[in-house]
Every structure is written in structure tokens, then in C-alpha cells.
Amino acid sequence: MADGSLTGGGLEAAAMAPERTGWAAEQEPASLEKGLFQDEDSCSDCSYRDKPGSSLQSFMPEGKTFFPEIFQTNQLLFYERFRAYQDYILADCKASEVQEFTAEFLEKVLEPSGWRAVWHTNVFKVLVEATDVDFAALKAVVRLAEPYLCDSQVSTFTVECMKELLDLKEHRLPLQELWVVFDDSGVFDQTALAIEHVRFFYQNIWRSWDEEEEDEYDYFVRCVEPRLRLHYDILEDRVPSGLIVDYRNLLSQCEESYRKFLNLRSSLSNCNSDSEQENISMVEGLKLYSEMEQLKQKLKLIENPLLRYVFGYQKNSNIQAKGVRPSGQKITHVVSSTMVAGLLRSLLTDKLCQEPSEEEREIQFHSDPLSAINACFEGDTVIVCPGHYVVHGTFSIADSIELEGYGLPDDIVIEKRGKGDTFVDCTGADIKISGIKFVQHDAVEGILIVHRGKTTLENCVLQCETTGVTVRTSAEFLMKNSDLYGAKGAGIEIYPGSQCTLSDNGIHHCKEGILIKDFLDEHYDIPKISMVNNIIHNNEGYGVVLVKPTIFSDLQENAEDGTEENKALKIQTSGEPDVTEGVDLEELMQCATGLLCIWPVPTAIQKW
């Protein structure tokens, strides 16, 4: 029995890679009953104990069942993987030492022989038996198990073909391609977990260019931890879906650029002449290297938990409008989960009947509001019939359209599932939303963000989870006869340079009612706000809060002194273009935070 211990066997919740194939895709994750960041003593220790029996569960893949059960090892929590990589596998190694440290770890916990596994590739699955382990190469020496079991997409993999394939590979297979067969004795628990950690690392954490990065920093802190956190944030729906797509596209582009760069570098190393072709190749190599560095910086932006939201906001705020439909026609989109004759007659009478002088208008029917929004062009109208609709994406509205409910807001409910995306994202010049109830659960982003243009919200109900409505700089927001509640932040956040008109609304049961942010420098005007007959009540904090710095000239004077407290501000306002190099971001944020003042309206119920 191999000695040593391996942390990471808790199976209270499941967590797998965002893109799963094969058996990994068949093991659907259970709901996360515990938080991702658990206390140390909450993690299971799956080292071998004196009492018999496996501490892991088994898994039988769907479909053909002639294969034996395998260990179910990919349902590990964030902290279990975090602790395994930090304390047992990688520690403080450099990128160039990753394979060496992993091999040393495997020598302590991996059984060298006696265990069976399923060799799983994209083409076939076959049962093999381990006879030895080449720790330095992270490979197992195997032979075909008896009886011969193979499942492939083609019928040509006979026993002879498989033996020939193994001979070509010298019977040595990468550990990450092996899924250990379940054994209830507990002897092979650590072997199964160790292989799972190796498989997960090379599938989700390791990048082919890591070894060429600067090697003087702690690889775990610099690369493993942020990528691991991003992986689990994606699983927890804490990252906008568009940002996930961008990240995967950037990753593919970077891998392709790196592959081309390696091929070019290899061709240059084999060329000894100072030919013109070599010079051209060197220029191409420099371009590829520059392109690759830019892609890597973008990847690091998304991997950083703090910066990815800034990156995501910039991405979402630049959604391009489609403009007028090429045919010039405007379409009315009707959303209904089921359409009955009575509802259709009412729609024709109330909404779809046109005056004789009006142009004929095409009508399209949809079963969910998200598909209707995505099909809209400039000037279209979306009519949502009574019903409860569940959506998993963002309403990204970049054109001037009307979104209206046909009936009372409580009868027309649109519920948002998924934590990473904003519910409604508005960038159109003139957007009108009316007569709908929006419900948000377990969210990370706000319920509605107006990035630019004008958005009118009338006779709506907003059941929030985090921030309610955010009105960004240069945007205009008009809210009438609506009800907003449940925000864990402010019900409405109003940024400098924006315009906001609130009339006859209820804002209640939020942390704060309205948060007015007047903290940017003199380049932005204070927000223009009009509030009439609004009832702001039963919030945890104040009804209206103005976040405002001290007078900007005073800040400049404070920045001119030599105290350590104002060092960051002094650098920020000195007017020199490159003096911010080397400034610590956290120090700068702390300094800015210390200079903010909050001007509250200290009444329990306010009517404006």
C-alpha cells in the first residue's frame, strides 16, 4: 500500500468542468449544498484507514453496462481541490517544476500495480490493468485486462488491433486517460483520487505556454488559484455567459497562436542561413509573439476575480444594435407558452388590430421572451401574454423596441435562472418596458442596467436579489408606477452624468433605497434626478444616500503633501501620463475609499 495522504474526497456536492465529454458528462452534478469556501475541517481526508471499505462512491455509466463500475471522483468541492494542489501536489513550485512535483506526489500515494482502469479516449473505451507506473512521465504501464472489453464508435478495434496499438505506445498510457475501476476495499481510493487531480489539472488548469512564463513567482498563486476559482465560478453561474464564451474563444486563439509560434521557432532553429526567408520568418514570429501576449493578458483579466467584472461590463456595454430590418418592415412578436382561441381573439382586438391607413405588420409567435428579444430589430414590439416564463440568459436590448405585458404585472412573470448574467441589459436609444414582473433568484449581477440611451419602465414589478436598477454614466432612466423590492444592495444606483426620473414608485425592503454616486472627478456632471410621489420605506439603511467626495480642490491640496496616506491620490492627480506604474491597486482603492463621504437622508419613510 502506498503511504501518504490525499485530501479531497467529500461528495456532498458535485463540481465538474464546464465542458464535459464522455463519462464526465454523464456524471451530472448534484446541487451544491455547501459553500465553495469551506473550513479546513469540513474537507474529507481520504487517506487509507485501518477499517476496511471504500470512502468513495462508484459510478456506472449510462448505455452499455458490460464495463465494471468506476470510482466517482470528479464530484469534488473547490476547497478540496484547492487544498490538494496547494498542500500536497504543487506547493510553492515554479511552472517548470510542475511535472516534477506531481511525480513526487504520485510516488507517495499511487499504487504502482494491481488496479484496473478504463482507458477512455474520444474514439473508444477499453478495460486495462496497470502493471507499473512511470511517475516521471505521468504514465501507467498497462496490459489488456481479461476478459477483453471494448466499446468503440467503429467496429475495427479487435483484440489484435488493440494489442498493436498498445505496442506502438509501448504499453504506456497517460494517467489522465485512465478511470480507475471501483474497488470497495478502499485500497485504491487514493489512486483514484490522485489520478483525478492529475486529470483535472491538465484539462482545466495547465496551459501549454505556462513553462515559458516568468518562472520566479509561485505558480500556484499566480496561475492555479485564479483559474481554479474561475472554473468553480463558472459552475456556480457566477460569470456572465457571454464572458464565458469570450474566455473559451480567447483560450482557443491563444493555443492556436502558440502552436504556430512553436512551429515557426522550430523551423528557424533548423535554418542556419541568413536568407531573406529567415528574416521574414523572424518578423512573423515577433508578430505571433505579440499577438499571443495580448491574448494572454486578456485571459488573465478574466481569470482575476476583481477585474473580470470590469471586463464583463465593458463587453456588455458595447453590444451592437442591429438597426432597421433590411426590408424596412417592423414586426410584432407575441410571446405565449400556449395560445388558445380566446387569447388570440383578445389580442387581435386589443393589440393587433390596425387602422386602415397603417401598413400591414408581420406577426411572429414565440414560446419564450428571450427568443423574441433576440429576434428584434429597431422599432419592433414584443407582447408577452400571461404566464410564468423562466429564462437562462440575458435580455440584451440594443435597439429601440417596446416590451409590454398583456395584462397585469402579477400575471406576467419572467423569472431569471443563473447567477452570472444581468437580467435586463439596455443600450438602445429609446427602450420601453411595461406591465411585466421580473423575478431574480440567487443572482450576482443586478436586475436591470441602463448603459446608455433612454429606458422607460412603467407599471412593472422588480423582485431583486442583488442590486436593483443601475443607471450608468450618460444613460437616461424613467421609472413610473412601478414597485421595486428585495435588493441586497441599493434599489436604484445612479451614476454621475446620468439622468433619472422617478414618479409614483414604491422602493422598499432593500439594503438602501436610492444610492446616488457623485464621486467621479470634475469631468462628469452630477446626476440629474427628478423624484415625485415615490414611497421609499422599510429599507435596512437610509432611503436616499448620496456618496460624494470632499471638494476636489481640497483633494488636490491633500495630494500635494508628502504624507504616506495621500501617496496614491498624489500619484493619481499629478497629471503625468505614466506615473501610475507600480502603484498598488489595493492601496489606491483604500485611499479613494477613505476620502468618500456619505450624505444620508435619515428618515424611515420618505415621500418624494
Side-chain angles (χ1 to χ4, degrees), residues 396-411:
S396 297
I397 307 177
D399 292 282
S400 298
I401 67 169
E402 292 187 24
L403 173 63
E404 58 178 288
Y406 181 57
L408 298 175
D410 286 338
D411 296 330

PDB file of all heavy atoms in Angstrom, residues 396-411:
ATOM      1  N   SER A 396     -30.516  41.274 -23.680  1.00  0.00           N
ATOM      2  CA  SER A 396     -29.605  42.302 -24.190  1.00  0.00           C
ATOM      3  C   SER A 396     -30.351  43.109 -25.241  1.00  0.00           C
ATOM      4  O   SER A 396     -30.512  42.668 -26.374  1.00  0.00           O
ATOM      5  CB  SER A 396     -28.349  41.659 -24.786  1.00  0.00           C
ATOM      6  OG  SER A 396     -27.630  40.953 -23.792  1.00  0.00           O
ATOM      7  N   ILE A 397     -30.795  44.307 -24.854  1.00  0.00           N
ATOM      8  CA  ILE A 397     -31.632  45.131 -25.732  1.00  0.00           C
ATOM      9  C   ILE A 397     -30.796  46.288 -26.237  1.00  0.00           C
ATOM     10  O   ILE A 397     -30.493  47.225 -25.492  1.00  0.00           O
ATOM     11  CB  ILE A 397     -32.874  45.636 -24.990  1.00  0.00           C
ATOM     12  CG1 ILE A 397     -33.622  44.460 -24.338  1.00  0.00           C
ATOM     13  CG2 ILE A 397     -33.796  46.381 -25.940  1.00  0.00           C
ATOM     14  CD1 ILE A 397     -34.830  44.872 -23.519  1.00  0.00           C
ATOM     15  N   ALA A 398     -30.401  46.225 -27.489  1.00  0.00           N
ATOM     16  CA  ALA A 398     -29.538  47.251 -28.077  1.00  0.00           C
ATOM     17  C   ALA A 398     -30.276  48.134 -29.075  1.00  0.00           C
ATOM     18  O   ALA A 398     -29.734  49.136 -29.522  1.00  0.00           O
ATOM     19  CB  ALA A 398     -28.339  46.599 -28.766  1.00  0.00           C
ATOM     20  N   ASP A 399     -31.507  47.766 -29.429  1.00  0.00           N
ATOM     21  CA  ASP A 399     -32.303  48.558 -30.367  1.00  0.00           C
ATOM     22  C   ASP A 399     -33.486  49.194 -29.641  1.00  0.00           C
ATOM     23  O   ASP A 399     -33.882  48.759 -28.555  1.00  0.00           O
ATOM     24  CB  ASP A 399     -32.813  47.684 -31.514  1.00  0.00           C
ATOM     25  CG  ASP A 399     -31.696  47.200 -32.414  1.00  0.00           C
ATOM     26  OD1 ASP A 399     -31.232  47.984 -33.247  1.00  0.00           O
ATOM     27  OD2 ASP A 399     -31.279  46.036 -32.263  1.00  0.00           O
ATOM     28  N   SER A 400     -34.070  50.203 -30.243  1.00  0.00           N
ATOM     29  CA  SER A 400     -35.246  50.867 -29.673  1.00  0.00           C
ATOM     30  C   SER A 400     -36.471  49.998 -29.932  1.00  0.00           C
ATOM     31  O   SER A 400     -37.005  49.971 -31.042  1.00  0.00           O
ATOM     32  CB  SER A 400     -35.429  52.251 -30.300  1.00  0.00           C
ATOM     33  OG  SER A 400     -34.320  53.076 -30.018  1.00  0.00           O
ATOM     34  N   ILE A 401     -36.900  49.283 -28.906  1.00  0.00           N
ATOM     35  CA  ILE A 401     -38.048  48.389 -29.033  1.00  0.00           C
ATOM     36  C   ILE A 401     -38.993  48.627 -27.857  1.00  0.00           C
ATOM     37  O   ILE A 401     -38.658  49.302 -26.886  1.00  0.00           O
ATOM     38  CB  ILE A 401     -37.629  46.908 -29.075  1.00  0.00           C
ATOM     39  CG1 ILE A 401     -37.035  46.478 -27.729  1.00  0.00           C
ATOM     40  CG2 ILE A 401     -36.651  46.644 -30.206  1.00  0.00           C
ATOM     41  CD1 ILE A 401     -36.834  44.986 -27.597  1.00  0.00           C
ATOM     42  N   GLU A 402     -40.183  48.045 -27.958  1.00  0.00           N
ATOM     43  CA  GLU A 402     -41.149  48.072 -26.864  1.00  0.00           C
ATOM     44  C   GLU A 402     -41.381  46.649 -26.378  1.00  0.00           C
ATOM     45  O   GLU A 402     -41.654  45.749 -27.178  1.00  0.00           O
ATOM     46  CB  GLU A 402     -42.471  48.690 -27.324  1.00  0.00           C
ATOM     47  CG  GLU A 402     -42.380  50.173 -27.650  1.00  0.00           C
ATOM     48  CD  GLU A 402     -43.747  50.785 -27.944  1.00  0.00           C
ATOM     49  OE1 GLU A 402     -44.761  50.212 -27.465  1.00  0.00           O
ATOM     50  OE2 GLU A 402     -43.809  51.798 -28.648  1.00  0.00           O
ATOM     51  N   LEU A 403     -41.272  46.458 -25.065  1.00  0.00           N
ATOM     52  CA  LEU A 403     -41.528  45.170 -24.433  1.00  0.00           C
ATOM     53  C   LEU A 403     -42.681  45.381 -23.459  1.00  0.00           C
ATOM     54  O   LEU A 403     -42.527  46.060 -22.439  1.00  0.00           O
ATOM     55  CB  LEU A 403     -40.279  44.675 -23.700  1.00  0.00           C
ATOM     56  CG  LEU A 403     -40.415  43.410 -22.847  1.00  0.00           C
ATOM     57  CD1 LEU A 403     -40.782  42.201 -23.700  1.00  0.00           C
ATOM     58  CD2 LEU A 403     -39.117  43.133 -22.084  1.00  0.00           C
ATOM     59  N   GLU A 404     -43.844  44.837 -23.769  1.00  0.00           N
ATOM     60  CA  GLU A 404     -45.016  45.106 -22.945  1.00  0.00           C
ATOM     61  C   GLU A 404     -45.749  43.821 -22.585  1.00  0.00           C
ATOM     62  O   GLU A 404     -45.822  42.871 -23.374  1.00  0.00           O
ATOM     63  CB  GLU A 404     -45.973  46.071 -23.653  1.00  0.00           C
ATOM     64  CG  GLU A 404     -46.471  45.592 -25.009  1.00  0.00           C
ATOM     65  CD  GLU A 404     -47.455  46.572 -25.627  1.00  0.00           C
ATOM     66  OE1 GLU A 404     -48.601  46.662 -25.133  1.00  0.00           O
ATOM     67  OE2 GLU A 404     -47.073  47.244 -26.600  1.00  0.00           O
ATOM     68  N   GLY A 405     -46.276  43.813 -21.379  1.00  0.00           N
ATOM     69  CA  GLY A 405     -47.086  42.687 -20.935  1.00  0.00           C
ATOM     70  C   GLY A 405     -48.547  42.902 -21.268  1.00  0.00           C
ATOM     71  O   GLY A 405     -49.048  44.033 -21.170  1.00  0.00           O
ATOM     72  N   TYR A 406     -49.223  41.847 -21.632  1.00  0.00           N
ATOM     73  CA  TYR A 406     -50.645  41.922 -21.977  1.00  0.00           C
ATOM     74  C   TYR A 406     -51.447  41.433 -20.768  1.00  0.00           C
ATOM     75  O   TYR A 406     -51.751  40.254 -20.626  1.00  0.00           O
ATOM     76  CB  TYR A 406     -50.938  41.073 -23.214  1.00  0.00           C
ATOM     77  CG  TYR A 406     -52.391  41.115 -23.653  1.00  0.00           C
ATOM     78  CD1 TYR A 406     -53.003  42.324 -23.956  1.00  0.00           C
ATOM     79  CD2 TYR A 406     -53.133  39.947 -23.768  1.00  0.00           C
ATOM     80  CE1 TYR A 406     -54.321  42.366 -24.351  1.00  0.00           C
ATOM     81  CE2 TYR A 406     -54.454  39.973 -24.180  1.00  0.00           C
ATOM     82  CZ  TYR A 406     -55.049  41.186 -24.463  1.00  0.00           C
ATOM     83  OH  TYR A 406     -56.357  41.235 -24.855  1.00  0.00           O
ATOM     84  N   GLY A 407     -51.736  42.371 -19.865  1.00  0.00           N
ATOM     85  CA  GLY A 407     -52.430  42.022 -18.636  1.00  0.00           C
ATOM     86  C   GLY A 407     -51.780  42.704 -17.447  1.00  0.00           C
ATOM     87  O   GLY A 407     -51.036  43.676 -17.580  1.00  0.00           O
ATOM     88  N   LEU A 408     -52.051  42.185 -16.239  1.00  0.00           N
ATOM     89  CA  LEU A 408     -51.474  42.740 -15.017  1.00  0.00           C
ATOM     90  C   LEU A 408     -50.066  42.190 -14.808  1.00  0.00           C
ATOM     91  O   LEU A 408     -49.784  41.034 -15.163  1.00  0.00           O
ATOM     92  CB  LEU A 408     -52.363  42.399 -13.817  1.00  0.00           C
ATOM     93  CG  LEU A 408     -53.787  42.968 -13.845  1.00  0.00           C
ATOM     94  CD1 LEU A 408     -54.590  42.447 -12.663  1.00  0.00           C
ATOM     95  CD2 LEU A 408     -53.765  44.490 -13.849  1.00  0.00           C
ATOM     96  N   PRO A 409     -49.182  42.982 -14.193  1.00  0.00           N
ATOM     97  CA  PRO A 409     -47.798  42.513 -13.993  1.00  0.00           C
ATOM     98  C   PRO A 409     -47.711  41.196 -13.217  1.00  0.00           C
ATOM     99  O   PRO A 409     -46.864  40.351 -13.525  1.00  0.00           O
ATOM    100  CB  PRO A 409     -47.157  43.663 -13.212  1.00  0.00           C
ATOM    101  CG  PRO A 409     -47.946  44.865 -13.573  1.00  0.00           C
ATOM    102  CD  PRO A 409     -49.350  44.388 -13.764  1.00  0.00           C
ATOM    103  N   ASP A 410     -48.571  41.007 -12.212  1.00  0.00           N
ATOM    104  CA  ASP A 410     -48.511  39.773 -11.419  1.00  0.00           C
ATOM    105  C   ASP A 410     -48.906  38.542 -12.222  1.00  0.00           C
ATOM    106  O   ASP A 410     -48.640  37.409 -11.810  1.00  0.00           O
ATOM    107  CB  ASP A 410     -49.411  39.885 -10.189  1.00  0.00           C
ATOM    108  CG  ASP A 410     -48.814  40.805  -9.130  1.00  0.00           C
ATOM    109  OD1 ASP A 410     -47.581  41.001  -9.154  1.00  0.00           O
ATOM    110  OD2 ASP A 410     -49.577  41.327  -8.299  1.00  0.00           O
ATOM    111  N   ASP A 411     -49.569  38.754 -13.364  1.00  0.00           N
ATOM    112  CA  ASP A 411     -49.958  37.624 -14.218  1.00  0.00           C
ATOM    113  C   ASP A 411     -48.929  37.328 -15.297  1.00  0.00           C
ATOM    114  O   ASP A 411     -49.014  36.309 -15.989  1.00  0.00           O
ATOM    115  CB  ASP A 411     -51.304  37.912 -14.897  1.00  0.00           C
ATOM    116  CG  ASP A 411     -52.437  38.042 -13.887  1.00  0.00           C
ATOM    117  OD1 ASP A 411     -52.353  37.387 -12.836  1.00  0.00           O
ATOM    118  OD2 ASP A 411     -53.383  38.817 -14.153  1.00  0.00           O
TER     119      ASP A 411
END
